Amino acid sequence: MDKKTVKKQLQLKGIPAAPGIVIGKAFIFGGNDLVPIERKIADKDIPREIEKYNSVILKTKKEILEIEKKISEELGVEHGKIFSAHLLVLEDPVLIEEVIARLKKQKKNIEIIFHEVLNKYIDVLSEAKDEYLRDRISDIIDVGNRILRNLMGAEGKGLDSLSEESVVIAYDLSPSDTAMMHRGKVLGFATDIGGRTSHTAIMAKSLEIPAVVGLENVTDAVQDGDTIIVDGNHGIVIVNPTKAFLAKYQKDKKKYDHMEEGLIELKFLPSETKDGKKIKLAANIELAEDVSSVLFHGAEGIGLYRTEYLFMNRNTLPSEEEQFKAYKLVAQRMKPSYVTIRTLDVGGDKFLSQLDVPREMNPFLGWRAIRFCLARPDIFKTQFRAILRASAFGKIRLMYPMISGVGEFVQAGAILEETKKELRKKQISFDENIEVGAMIEVPSAALTSGIIAREADFFSIGTNDLIQYSLAIDRVNEKIAYLYEPAHPAILNLIKTVIDNGHKEGISVGLCGEMGSDITLTIVLLGLGLDELSVSPIAIPEIKKVIRSVNFSVARQIADEIIRMSTGEEIHKFATNKMKELVPEIATELGIE
Ligand code: PEP
Ligand code: MG
């Protein structure tokens, strides 16, 4: 008889973040493995570290109170009380005092100090004779790791150090955690929190790592080493599948991979409708390494290069030279196709520790993107110089994120002109005709796009933010993900306004948000008159298939009809039915309902 205990299968439903199916062993990330990197700090920075510690204590307290409330409601007050013990540890004055005293003495970053103190407590308690005290260890580890995770933010131990292929299970992953996966052995991942257009989800797509986010309790349901299936197409995670389920998913995986391989054959065919209307199909990238995938999937150019990833997972800013090398490499590899380099979009869910930007209450509404760059012309100009120099080696376009009105565009342009002048003086060559575009992702910019279009050479609509800001839906919050509706009439009308205003001024209008990868909306976006769609490289073959299967005249009629509808639900249903009618093979293959 096999004495091994068979674990019960569990199926969880979350938000599909990156397509594909993987099966592997679970690795719980962010548990006892949090190891901070040591940094020396100056005397003047001690108050900043203390402030960071205090604000993390507050944040952690809020999290614990929330869990306590949830558990009390769901399982009863008795269970909720466990977390009162966590609060006692969190607010223990002896612990707090010791951390601050060591910080002042040792002058090291707060994460490393806290880590040391935490380990000391654990060691002392492990030796304790009193059983009650020994039992407190798990509380201390639990709450200590929670504090540490909050302190470390984006600086956690990298996922590049996994020793074997695994499916990563985490409460949350920051975009920088995800960025590290490209060097690692991550087959797929599943998280408790997060939304479809969080930068973590976007990064997963770029890396072609199947992922499901917003599962709420995957970290509770899974143990290290459990067998996990991640179905990134449908947002499903299965823990310890039965033999029958395993066989079903192995078959589904084969079928999906086969379909993808089939679509790749479209690579050398143009992105045009049956009646000959061309729409540029470009790719979004985060890292210079992504270019291989862009070329493999047959993109016509790069519609969005999110340069902030070059600034992540490091203690210093990338120098002009380092940036220049990365931009030049991308430009050269893509030549003669174009590369749209977006200037630094720091802030929101992309926190860069080395920039010393204070944590904000509403980071997506705060000191982000162009606002940050205009206030830090030193950083902005370094990036400009690197981009301009690289423009001598390929076809580069430049683009500003989060423009809210023409003023910011003009201000950024003045700094760019200054930089160009300096380069000319030094006889450093660059593309004198470099095109400069604006991302339209703030409602005020969409509504004044007619004015901005007189200054800009092109537009690219960033729907991830445009939806977030127009519908007041935090793009990374899984609790309100159901309200994040790309097909909302407000969004389609804003997109139409931007396209029409751009075309009136004779400039091209693209779209580079995740909405562009939603194949149920491809026909609508085509019909609205977009000149370019820029999507994750893996989405390109499917989108191309849809474009090549329809007539532009029909797409236009569909868009005309849809733009007059009253609800997102109605629009979504209509668009999906049209897609199923016009491209049935792909709708069936992808299981679109
Ligand atoms: C967007 O907002 O749609 C966009 C493409 O930019 P990001 O996702 O990087 O904010
Ligand atoms: Mg954006």
Side-chain angles (χ1 to χ4, degrees):
M1 274 260 305
D2 184 3
K3 283 194 183 154
K4 262 197 293 182
T5 41
V6 178
K7 290 189 178 171
K8 222 169 142 207
Q9 171 176 308
L10 199 69
Q11 182 164 334
L12 305 170
K13 179 88 184 86
I15 301 166
I21 298 169
V22 281
I23 302 167
K25 294 280 174 216
F27 168 78
I28 316 265
F29 176 67
N32 301 337
D33 288 279
L34 291 167
V35 181
I37 298 162
E38 187 176 317
R39 268 186 292 116
K40 281 273 168 217
I41 56 160
D43 277 333
K44 71 170 179 34
D45 290 329
I46 290 176
R48 188 194 63 195
E49 297 291 292
I50 295 177
E51 197 188 306
K52 182 173 174 185
Y53 184 52
N54 288 335
S55 72
V56 160
I57 297 282
L58 276 179
K59 180 175 189 245
T60 313
K61 183 174 176 180
K62 229 167 105 191
E63 284 175 5
I64 295 175
L65 286 171
E66 254 174 42
I67 302 173
E68 181 176 29
K69 188 164 161 258
K70 199 163 170 245
I71 300 282
S72 300
E73 280 165 10
E74 285 173 13
L75 298 174
V77 181
E78 271 323 292
H79 288 91
K81 271 191 187 151
I82 302 167
F83 293 94
S84 310
H86 284 196
L87 285 178
L88 284 179
V89 175
L90 178 78
E91 296 182 312
D92 180 357
V94 180
L95 174 71
I96 295 177
E97 265 168 43
E98 175 157 14
V99 169
I100 292 179
R102 276 192 188 221
L103 172 74
K104 287 180 178 163
K105 197 161 156 228
Q106 296 185 15
K107 297 183 185 133
K108 290 192 268 187
N109 52 322
I110 186 71
E111 297 85 344
I112 204 84
I113 296 283
F114 182 79
H115 189 240
E116 279 174 18
V117 176
L118 179 67
N119 282 340
K120 188 191 111 181
Y121 270 55
I122 294 169
D123 287 348
V124 171
L125 285 177
S126 323
E127 302 288 309
K129 298 226 162 33
D130 182 335
E131 198 180 338
Y132 174 79
L133 279 181
R134 275 204 315 274
D135 284 347
R136 298 280 66 77
I137 293 182
S138 63
D139 287 340
I140 297 204
I141 292 178
D142 208 322
V143 79
N145 279 334
R146 194 175 281 280
I147 298 173
L148 204 51
R149 188 162 47 214
N150 284 336
L151 276 174
M152 286 165 71
E155 299 175 355
K157 185 184 171 197
L159 283 168
D160 49 349
S161 53
L162 275 180
S163 56
E164 52 189 273
E165 288 194 332
S166 314
V167 172
V168 170
I169 306 292
Y171 170 73
D172 186 20
L173 290 170
S174 67
S176 52
D177 289 331
T178 320
M180 274 199 253
M181 290 182 187
H182 79 284
R183 293 181 295 230
K185 295 191 169 166
V186 179
L187 294 171
F189 69 80
T191 61
D192 285 345
I193 68 167
R196 198 189 286 263
T197 58
S198 63
H199 282 97
T200 297
I202 291 170
M203 191 71 201
K205 266 196 208 161
S206 263
L207 297 174
E208 300 181 30
I209 294 177
V212 179
V213 298
L215 286 150
E216 295 191 355
N217 58 355
V218 67
T219 45
D220 293 338
V222 176
Q223 287 178 344
D224 263 324
D226 280 352
T227 302
I228 306 284
I229 300 174
V230 174
D231 176 356
N233 299 333
H234 300 100
I236 290 173
V237 168
I238 299 178
V239 188
N240 294 316
T242 59
K243 269 192 186 148
F245 254 81
L246 211 51
K248 174 196 165 333
Y249 269 93
Q250 271 156 350
K251 223 163 105 195
D252 283 0
K253 178 173 163 53
K254 241 190 195 156
K255 210 167 117 197
Y256 177 78
D257 293 347
H258 184 70
M259 180 196 75
E260 291 295 303
E261 276 162 29
L263 285 174
I264 268 298
E265 284 167 15
L266 297 176
K267 176 171 166 172
F268 299 110
L269 298 175
S271 161
E272 66 180 16
T273 59
K274 279 166 132 177
D275 50 354
K277 161 86 177 164
K278 286 190 169 37
I279 174 166
K280 280 203 176 81
L281 198 44
N284 297 344
I285 65 165
E286 281 75 49
L287 302 164
E289 292 93 317
D290 296 342
V291 174
S292 307
S293 172
V294 172
L295 296 170
F296 177 74
H297 289 97
E300 278 172 71
I302 289 174
L304 169 65
Y305 178 1
R306 292 182 165 99
T307 55
E308 49 281 359
Y309 285 84
L310 200 58
F311 291 63
M312 280 180 186
N313 295 318
R314 50 191 298 157
N315 294 326
T316 54
L317 292 171
S319 64
E320 175 186 328
E321 209 49 35
E322 189 181 341
Q323 291 189 57
F324 164 66
K325 277 191 186 139
Y327 307 151
K328 177 181 161 191
L329 179 75
V330 176
Q332 280 179 325
R333 288 195 64 196
M334 289 303 297
K335 207 172 164 181
S337 303
Y338 64 100
V339 179
T340 314
I341 302 187
R342 176 176 77 182
T343 55
L344 184 64
D345 182 6
V346 61
D349 57 349
K350 287 171 292 196
F351 182 77
L352 305 183
S353 50
Q354 76 274 34
L355 284 180
D356 211 9
V357 175
R359 295 268 179 179
E360 299 175 316
M361 290 283 280
N362 291 303
F364 276 113
L365 300 179
W367 204 34
R368 186 185 164 193
I370 194 73
R371 302 166 181 188
F372 174 84
C373 285
L374 288 174
R376 290 292 306 265
D378 51 329
I379 294 176
F380 209 13
K381 271 186 149 181
T382 305
Q383 185 169 39
F384 275 154
R385 275 196 302 276
I387 297 172
L388 286 169
R389 285 172 56 201
S391 72
F393 297 87
K395 170 89 184 108
I396 286 182
R397 309 195 302 174
L398 209 156
M399 166 163 97
Y400 305 130
M402 220 189 161
I403 291 290
S404 62
V406 73
E408 283 164 341
F409 190 86
V410 171
Q411 244 182 301
I415 300 175
L416 177 67
E417 278 314 311
E418 230 176 84
T419 318
K420 283 184 180 176
K421 233 188 204 162
E422 287 160 14
L423 289 185
R424 279 186 208 111
K425 220 167 161 186
K426 289 185 187 155
Q427 297 191 321
I428 295 174
S429 47
F430 62 90
D431 177 5
E432 286 281 354
N433 300 314
I434 189 166
E435 287 180 27
V436 185
M439 280 195 76
I440 304 294
E441 47 185 353
V442 179
S444 56
L447 293 168
T448 55
S449 50
I451 302 168
I452 305 172
R454 289 181 216 140
E455 304 294 329
D457 295 318
F458 65 93
F459 282 159
S460 185
I461 307 174
T463 50
N464 302 336
D465 281 314
L466 189 62
I467 297 169
Q468 144 164 283
Y469 296 133
S470 306
L471 304 182
I473 311 295
D474 180 345
R475 62 193 269 191
V476 301
N477 187 338
E478 72 287 352
K479 290 194 184 66
I480 45 167
Y482 69 100
L483 289 169
Y484 196 93
E485 261 187 306
H488 193 293
I491 302 303
L492 294 179
N493 275 285
L494 281 174
I495 292 176
K496 182 170 164 37
T497 302
V498 177
I499 297 173
D500 293 349
N501 282 338
H503 287 174
K504 263 186 225 150
E505 292 298 328
I507 66 170
S508 97
V509 182
L511 184 148
C512 62
E514 291 311 292
M515 178 178 178
S517 307
D518 180 348
I519 60 163
T520 58
L521 291 173
T522 307
I523 299 171
V524 180
L525 294 176
L526 182 65
L528 285 172
L530 279 172
D531 304 293
E532 178 208 57
L533 262 180
S534 189
V535 298
S536 313
I538 37 168
I540 287 174
E542 285 161 22
I543 306 278
K544 195 186 272 187
K545 173 80 181 167
V546 177
I547 293 170
R548 292 182 55 82
S549 305
V550 296
N551 278 304
F552 179 58
S553 54
V554 173
R556 214 163 37 190
Q557 275 167 21
I558 294 172
D560 280 351
E561 248 181 277
I562 266 179
I563 208 78
R564 287 193 293 269
M565 291 182 180
S566 355
T567 68
E569 212 181 333
E570 195 184 349
I571 293 173
H572 183 73
K573 205 160 151 196
F574 187 84
T576 308
N577 285 338
K578 284 289 172 196
M579 191 263 172
K580 276 157 79 174
E581 183 190 314
L582 297 168
V583 209
E585 60 280 27
I586 205 153
T588 319
E589 297 257 25
L590 289 175
I592 291 171
E593 284 147 22

